[in-house]
């Protein structure tokens, strides 16, 4: 079966750094997405990793290790507006499916 | 604004009824996806269409059906509604399939 694991909830302090992990066991792999979703709103795209390594985009970075079935999203200089759920999703070209994790709810405290 | 339009924004109906949710993808996108998200739950993939044809199916109930029309807009039909069908229904679109999905603002369905 297909499985994606993320922590259910994390808490961090404004101005700090937080790392949200995602591990996956899927029958195929073509890429890994991270999306941000504020409560009651639509998910918005953050990053897409196909190859191993770190991709940096402003305050957000995403890392992928395909051999370990592991990714993380790194958020720096946390702001209150970063309070949201962060969704990890694996794309499999074989069946055109995007397998979604349940999401990590990130709570930022002043 | 993602460029994906969903209507209506809110829908309140009774058990046993049938509703239709509509989605217009971003200009040029060929793939449309439908998702269900119940309160405080993750995204549940329902179905994907690519250029008018069904491409992938997720956990879609038999009471639910969808189609994509020649102009690429899509409709999700929900019938014999139950209380448990109350949820946010998102539509997303992408250029092909497997690339970045852009989500509409969602339709909030309340079944009373």
């Amino acid at each position: 079966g297909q499985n994606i694991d993320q922590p259910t909830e994390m808490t961090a302090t404004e101005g700090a750094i937080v790392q949200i992990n995602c591990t996956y066991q899927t029958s195929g792999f073509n890429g890994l997405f991270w999306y941000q979703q504020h409560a009651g709103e639509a998910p918005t795209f953050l990053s897409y990793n196909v190859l191993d390594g770190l991709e940096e985009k402003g305050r957000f970075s995403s890392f992928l290790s395909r051999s370990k079935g592991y990714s993380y999203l790194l958020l720096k200089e946390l702001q209150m507006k970063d309070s949201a759920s962060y969704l990890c999703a694996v794309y499999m070209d074989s069946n055109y499916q995007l397998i979604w994790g349940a999401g990590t709810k990130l709570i930022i405290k002043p | 604004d993602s460029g994906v339009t969903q209507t209506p924004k809110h829908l309140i109906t009774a058990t046993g009824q049938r509703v239709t949710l509509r989605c217009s993808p971003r200009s040029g996108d060929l793939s449309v996806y439908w998702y269900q998200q119940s309160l405080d739950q993750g995204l549940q993939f329902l179905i994907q269409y690519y250029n008018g044809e069904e491409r992938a199916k997720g956990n879609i109930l038999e009471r639910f059906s969808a189609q994509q029309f020649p102009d690429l807009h899509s409709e999700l039909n929900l019938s014999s509604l139950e209380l448990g069908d109350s949820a946010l229904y998102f539509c997303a679109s992408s250029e092909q399939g497997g690339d970045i999905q852009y989500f509409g603002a969602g339709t909030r369905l309340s079944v009373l």
Side-chain angles (χ1 to χ4, degrees), chain B residues 6-67:
Chain B
Q6 286 188 249
T7 56
K9 284 188 168 46
H10 302 278
L11 202 47
I12 302 174
T13 189
T15 54
Q17 295 298 305
R18 172 189 169 94
V19 297
T20 297
L21 313 185
R22 195 177 191 280
C23 171
S24 294
R26 292 189 322 154
S27 177
D29 284 0
L30 298 178
S31 272
V32 168
Y33 311 78
W34 285 99
Y35 293 91
Q36 179 193 55
Q37 189 172 41
S38 301
L39 191 63
D40 292 333
Q41 299 295 310
L43 279 175
Q44 295 296 319
F45 168 69
L46 295 178
I47 198 163
Q48 178 197 1
Y49 281 83
Y50 175 77
N51 204 20
E53 299 289 327
E54 181 185 305
R55 175 174 260 193
K57 217 168 189 176
N59 300 321
I60 187 166
L61 299 172
E62 284 193 15
R63 299 185 286 111
F64 296 1
S65 64
Q67 54 184 327

Side-chain angles (χ1 to χ4, degrees), chain B residues 100-112:
Chain B
I100 300 168
Q101 293 184 24
Y102 295 90
F103 284 76
T107 293
R108 185 174 295 281
L109 174 67
S110 297
V111 182
L112 305 179

Side-chain angles (χ1 to χ4, degrees), chain A residues 33 35 37 39-45 48 87 91 93 95-98 100-103 105, chain B residues 35 37 41-43 45 48 55-58 88 90 97-105 108:
Chain A
F33 291 88
Y35 280 79
Q37 186 180 26
E41 298 183 10
T44 55
F45 169 76
Y48 181 44
L87 310 173
Y91 178 65
D93 200 18
N95 60 3
Y96 309 110
Q97 283 227 20
L98 199 58
W100 292 83
K105 184 177 181 181
Chain B
Y35 293 91
Q37 189 172 41
Q41 299 295 310
L43 279 175
F45 168 69
Q48 178 197 1
R55 175 174 260 193
K57 217 168 189 176
L88 255 177
F90 288 109
D99 46 356
I100 300 168
Q101 293 184 24
Y102 295 90
F103 284 76
R108 185 174 295 281

Side-chain angles (χ1 to χ4, degrees), chain A residues 71-91:
Chain A
S71 174
Y72 67 72
L73 183 69
L74 192 71
L75 291 74
K76 302 176 188 173
E77 300 168 18
L78 287 169
Q79 302 175 10
M80 297 304 291
K81 68 178 182 179
D82 297 330
S83 290
S85 287
Y86 292 85
L87 310 173
C88 163
V90 169
Y91 178 65

